[in-house]
Amino acid sequence: MLRREGFDGAITIIGDEPHQPYDRPPLSKQLLAGEWEQDRIALSDDESLQDLGADWRLGRRAAGLDVANRTVTLDDGSTVAADGILIATGARCRELPTNGLDGIYTLRGLDDCLAIRAELEDSPQRVAVVGAGFIGAEVAATARERGLEVTVIEALPVPLGRVLGTEVGTVCADVHRDHGVDLRLGVGVDGFDGHGRVERVNLSDGTSMDADVVVVGIGVIPNTEWLEGSGLELDNGVVCDETCLAAPGIAAAGDVARWPNRLFGEIMRVEHWDNAIAQGQHAALRLLASDDEAQPYAPVPWFWSDQYDRKIQLAGRARPDDEVRIITGSTEERRFAALYGRAGRLVGVLGFNRPRHVMKYRNLIEQGTSFEEAIKIAEQE
Amino acid sequence: MGYRVVVDYDLCESNAICMQVAPDIFEVRDDDFLYLLNETPGDEARERVNESIQRCPKQAISVAEE
Ligand SMILES: Cc1cc2nc3c(=O)[nH]c(=O)nc-3n(C[C@H](O)[C@H](O)[C@H](O)COP(=O)(O)OP(=O)(O)OC[C@H]3O[C@@H](n4cnc5c(N)ncnc54)[C@H](O)[C@@H]3O)c2cc1C
Ligand code: SF4
């Protein structure tokens, strides 16, 4: 974006992974399934990366930030000073204590994916997935499609119930059961047992189950530790203003950024692929703009999840206490679209294999359409 | 020297992101399939085509220079 806008100064890119930029969504889908190889997930070809003319510092961690002097200190002690700094350190997986056992994984990066994939190719007897959120659900689906026995353990009584509400969350649960997943709801994990390698998962209801591979998908934590003491406000992410600015000349974007989205009147942090791109672009523009020119960042968040042959998409902000209305299809056929309303406004749309509806109502959310009006439009369709 | 927009329909999942960027070029219809309205939109649309390529979550769009 900076280059596209004509910025021809120096750009330094610091990243602690040794890999060139890659796409994460396939890590729980095509790459884990073995349908794709690593070369398919590169975000750019070598030529476009060259054209950026950037100074790449890969395999290097940013260890500290001097806000006043706009200087980043790296883990090798070197420093990079800049007129503009973009914080995009993303998030990492929340973990469970593994009791020192092998065979227990989380999934965030390419190396995690390849390690889990090698395990799945080794014909395990049973895979346990802890957490039925989107990542856990996708890993379970991919493992089932490989013909493996899968148990999913979820502490909530309804998977994704806190996001999508009971009715839609129940459909998500049913989709797993349709495909032969052993789904244990309302139980947590107390710990793991085994000899060197995991053999058993101990559950909070006092029972235990056998598993020789465990994938834990219980949410992520924004990577802000390196900013502690910098003076930036940290609160479940880097706190920014409406324009994605965290301090003069310092912006944040992606999974790590928290900002007030005026469209929803809510301070949010969004862990979606599309937002990482859109907010990254917005933040880049912000760094080039004067304070007077700066625009607020007020998108309708959007994301997708692929599970079995279902494509689930959610645009906007759904909450369990929202009013939910199915506007097309039915939950029985697992193909439907649902609208979410709050305080008289359309705030979210969820689709199970209904991409066109999701985009249509996403636009209506952006326009501030009332819930009543949206239902009326749906009835006329 | 022009270019042609190419969609890999095996990759495309009809999520209509491209349609948001360039509704005159891409359209997802009621049957939930993506239709290319204009394969050769010309230079003035090049920037929007590039934006669609970048925003497509499935990397299903490309251009063939010709
Ligand atoms: C398995 C998986 C599947 C997903 N599937 C979907 C999906 O289907 N749909 C969807 O919308 N979203 C999906 N997502 C979410 C999406 O990938 C993320 O929202 C997106 O990657 C966020 O981008 P980001 O640049 O903010 O952060 P990241 O992609 O996390 O990138 C941050 C980078 O910064 C590095 N870093 C961290 N700290 C430092 C430091 N101190 N110094 C240097 N480097 C550092 C990290 O190692 C990482 O490489 C998925 C994520 C995962 C993990
Ligand atoms: S953005 Fe990509 S996946 Fe979505 S409809 Fe367009 S081409 Fe298909």
Side-chain angles (χ1 to χ4, degrees), chain A residues 257-309:
Chain A
R258 231 162 101 79
W259 88 105
N261 183 334
R262 64 159 70 170
L263 190 60
F264 291 84
E266 186 190 328
I267 300 181
M268 52 175 78
R269 191 170 65 75
V270 175
E271 299 163 2
H272 304 162
W273 186 94
D274 183 62
N275 182 65
I277 305 220
Q279 196 170 21
Q281 294 182 342
H282 193 98
L285 290 180
R286 177 65 188 96
L287 290 177
L288 296 178
S290 67
D291 287 349
D292 295 339
E293 296 162 344
Q295 297 290 323
Y297 180 62
V300 179
W302 172 84
F303 93 110
W304 81 96
S305 172
D306 299 340
Q307 302 167 23
Y308 313 99
D309 57 350

Side-chain angles (χ1 to χ4, degrees), chain B residues 7 11-19 28 34 56-58 60-61:
Chain B
V7 172
L11 291 178
C12 170
E13 62 158 24
S14 304
N15 52 35
I17 293 290
C18 50
M19 179 167 138
V28 174
L34 172 67
C56 169
K58 300 290 157 168
I61 311 171

Side-chain angles (χ1 to χ4, degrees), chain A residues 100-358:
Chain A
L101 298 171
D102 291 337
I104 303 172
Y105 299 88
T106 54
L107 175 53
R108 181 75 192 178
L110 175 58
D111 299 336
D112 302 328
C113 172
L114 295 178
I116 297 170
R117 178 166 135 174
E119 292 273 8
L120 299 186
E121 277 163 1
D122 204 23
S123 312
Q125 295 295 313
R126 181 163 289 278
V127 180
V129 175
V130 184
F134 289 108
I135 301 284
E138 290 185 356
V139 170
T142 302
R144 268 313 283 158
E145 286 180 331
R146 279 177 168 270
L148 301 170
E149 296 298 326
V150 178
T151 299
V152 174
I153 303 152
E154 167 60 55
L156 295 174
V158 176
L160 296 166
R162 277 200 204 137
V163 194
L164 304 179
T166 306
E167 188 178 6
V168 175
T170 303
V171 186
C172 296
D174 290 342
V175 167
H176 287 300
R177 293 203 183 94
D178 291 348
H179 287 86
V181 168
D182 169 26
L183 190 59
R184 312 273 182 99
L185 298 176
V187 282
V189 168
D190 275 354
F192 304 101
D193 278 334
H195 297 89
R197 235 198 111 81
V198 64
E199 290 164 21
R200 253 179 332 282
V201 184
N202 300 322
L203 305 180
S204 61
D205 61 4
T207 63
S208 71
M209 57 159 291
D210 291 341
D212 32 19
V213 182
V214 177
V215 181
V216 179
I218 53 172
V220 298
I221 308 166
N223 290 319
T224 55
E225 287 72 11
W226 69 283
L227 297 166
E228 266 159 32
S230 68
L232 291 186
E233 189 185 348
L234 306 176
D235 175 16
N236 179 25
V238 176
V239 179
C240 308
D241 70 8
E242 274 202 318
T243 70
C244 303
L245 207 65
I250 301 177
D255 284 13
V256 78
R258 231 162 101 79
W259 88 105
N261 183 334
R262 64 159 70 170
L263 190 60
F264 291 84
E266 186 190 328
I267 300 181
M268 52 175 78
R269 191 170 65 75
V270 175
E271 299 163 2
H272 304 162
W273 186 94
D274 183 62
N275 182 65
I277 305 220
Q279 196 170 21
Q281 294 182 342
H282 193 98
L285 290 180
R286 177 65 188 96
L287 290 177
L288 296 178
S290 67
D291 287 349
D292 295 339
E293 296 162 344
Q295 297 290 323
Y297 180 62
V300 179
W302 172 84
F303 93 110
W304 81 96
S305 172
D306 299 340
Q307 302 167 23
Y308 313 99
D309 57 350
R310 296 297 94 171
K311 294 180 186 308
I312 304 169
Q313 296 174 313
L314 176 69
R317 301 293 274 181
R319 279 196 217 145
D321 51 354
D322 288 342
E323 198 176 333
V324 182
R325 193 77 67 83
I326 309 262
I327 54 160
T328 177
S330 70
T331 54
E332 290 77 29
E333 56 177 333
R334 319 262 187 266
R335 180 164 188 261
F336 64 94
L339 300 184
Y340 290 74
R342 191 183 316 145
R345 258 189 68 184
L346 176 68
V347 290
V349 52
L350 173 127
F352 260 67
N353 284 22
R354 289 286 188 183
R356 192 181 56 83
H357 286 83
V358 173

